[in-house]
Amino acid sequence: MIILDGKIVAASVKESVKAKAALLIREHKKTPHLAAILIGTNGASETYVANKVKTCEEIGFKSTLLRFDENVKEQLLLDTIKKLNVDDEVDGILVQLPLPKHISEEKVINTINPSKDVDGFHPSSIGKLVQGLPTFIPATPYGIMLMLKHYKIDTVGKHAVVIGRSNIVGRPMSILLSQNTNPGNCTVTICHSRSKNLTEICQQADIIVAALGIPGFLKANMIKEGAVVIDVGITRVADATKKSGFSIKGDVDFENVAPKCSYITPVPGGVGLMTIGALMMNTFAAAQLKIKN
Ligand code: GUN
């Protein structure tokens, strides 16, 4: 069993983006610039956004963090996005999800200029992804593809089971794995909370991507010997032994599943780290796109 080490792969991705950014800065006087919008004080969102901003610094990108109160008016948020859309200084825009209930996620995502949509959530980005056209790929599935590529995991003709159909992970993941690319060329089954016979379906999988957000959901009896298991779960679970008061748990019962796997991602230290690397690649691509145009 081989552990897919997000730390190593993400460090290599970041190094490569840093070098490319240095070239862009030197030759085109263009520093990639990510604008992140954070609403409210959700602890997990705060941590994710702080890590995104910190990574920008580490690799020589500019970043702007715009914070809004939980009760911010939807219109103010949309107007802010519109300003960032036309700000020549800004290459990538992301609005951290989830949003407070009174704000329409659909309106927010649709307002982001697709040429700055580094999260890849705009319908235009998803539409291009489905058609196999160049576009921004949502960071978590993109990070997983980079990881599969780094470890040269053979995916051709394999049965991949994706558990979870969110627009952020499951659905784009299923599209990427089915594409005629490397990695890719899988036969993909997408499962969700209404799927019947989930255990039997998972038992047939060569590759499982668990992205449902239920800690420890995927058990050893649900996988076949030699499966590749990718754990996207990052749930905070109360843990009195930790200074923070919580620990991060994945969707996979790692201890019992790992011995049966050929490859498995740990939590923490797996997919989560890749997500930021992938976001940086998208932000770099956005900056490069601007120069080309
Ligand atoms: N919330 C959870 N994952 C993501 C992500 O990839 N992007 C944004 N903007 N919000 C998220």
Side-chain angles (χ1 to χ4, degrees):
M1 182 269 298
I2 294 173
I3 301 243
L4 300 171
D5 190 334
K7 223 184 217 167
I8 293 176
V9 190
S12 132
V13 167
K14 284 194 266 181
E15 268 317 301
S16 138
V17 182
K18 186 177 178 178
K20 287 197 273 185
L23 206 64
L24 204 69
I25 294 164
R26 194 156 9 106
E27 292 189 348
H28 297 280
K29 307 264 176 299
K30 171 82 205 155
T31 304
H33 184 172
L34 175 69
I37 298 179
L38 175 61
I39 301 136
T41 53
N42 175 300
S45 291
E46 295 241 13
T47 306
Y48 301 148
V49 172
N51 285 336
K52 289 170 186 179
V53 168
K54 186 171 129 237
T55 306
C56 281
E57 266 171 40
E58 281 169 12
I59 65 172
F61 286 12
K62 275 189 213 160
S63 66
T64 300
L65 172 57
L66 300 167
R67 297 199 61 149
F68 291 93
D69 186 84
E70 186 79 25
N71 301 315
V72 63
K73 289 248 181 341
E74 183 182 83
Q75 195 54 50
L76 175 59
L77 200 58
L78 299 179
D79 289 343
T80 304
I81 295 169
K82 284 177 193 163
K83 273 190 204 144
L84 294 171
N85 281 344
V86 294
D87 184 343
D88 257 349
E89 274 286 301
V90 171
D91 302 303
I93 304 168
L94 80 81
V95 181
Q96 189 64 28
L97 304 177
L99 299 173
K101 285 207 168 53
H102 68 283
I103 293 172
S104 155
E105 190 176 295
E106 187 186 344
K107 273 191 200 163
V108 164
I109 290 172
N110 286 357
T111 301
I112 297 172
N113 183 333
S115 72
K116 299 189 179 188
D117 175 36
V118 287
D119 260 330
F121 297 160
H122 192 283
S124 151
S125 305
I126 294 287
K128 285 181 179 172
L129 184 73
V130 171
Q131 295 189 339
L133 299 171
T135 186
F136 299 113
I137 302 169
T140 301
Y142 190 10
I144 293 169
M145 295 300 273
L146 293 171
M147 197 168 224
L148 294 172
K149 194 175 181 109
H150 181 96
Y151 281 92
K152 299 189 172 63
I153 293 173
D154 181 18
T155 60
V156 180
K158 299 290 166 76
H159 182 201
V161 170
V162 178
I163 315 173
R165 56 182 159 185
S166 73
N167 289 336
I168 295 180
V169 187
R171 206 176 292 281
M173 186 79 252
S174 69
I175 293 159
L176 288 166
L177 287 170
S178 75
Q179 276 176 347
N180 183 8
T181 52
N182 180 27
N185 283 303
C186 292
T187 302
V188 180
T189 302
I190 182 157
C191 299
H192 43 76
S193 53
R194 305 296 292 272
S195 293
K196 287 181 181 155
N197 308 326
L198 194 60
T199 295
E200 288 77 6
I201 295 167
C202 289
Q203 283 167 345
Q204 292 165 26
D206 302 304
I207 300 164
I208 301 186
V209 179
L212 68 163
I214 302 177
F217 176 87
L218 193 76
K219 301 279 192 292
N221 71 317
M222 298 172 78
I223 71 155
K224 73 173 176 191
E225 203 69 47
V228 176
V229 172
I230 308 291
D231 190 349
V232 185
I234 37 163
T235 308
R236 289 180 169 203
V237 176
D239 183 347
T241 68
K242 292 272 160 40
K243 217 165 93 187
S244 60
F246 64 84
S247 52
I248 303 289
K249 290 271 177 266
D251 289 348
V252 177
D253 174 14
F254 185 89
E255 197 181 296
N256 296 306
V257 168
K260 281 181 88 175
C261 296
S262 55
Y263 298 91
I264 186 166
T265 62
V267 176
V271 171
L273 299 173
M274 293 306 302
T275 297
I276 296 192
L279 174 69
M280 296 301 128
M281 287 186 63
N282 279 345
T283 306
F284 174 78
Q288 206 177 32
L289 196 70
K290 202 175 276 150
I291 289 164
K292 279 193 189 143
N293 293 337

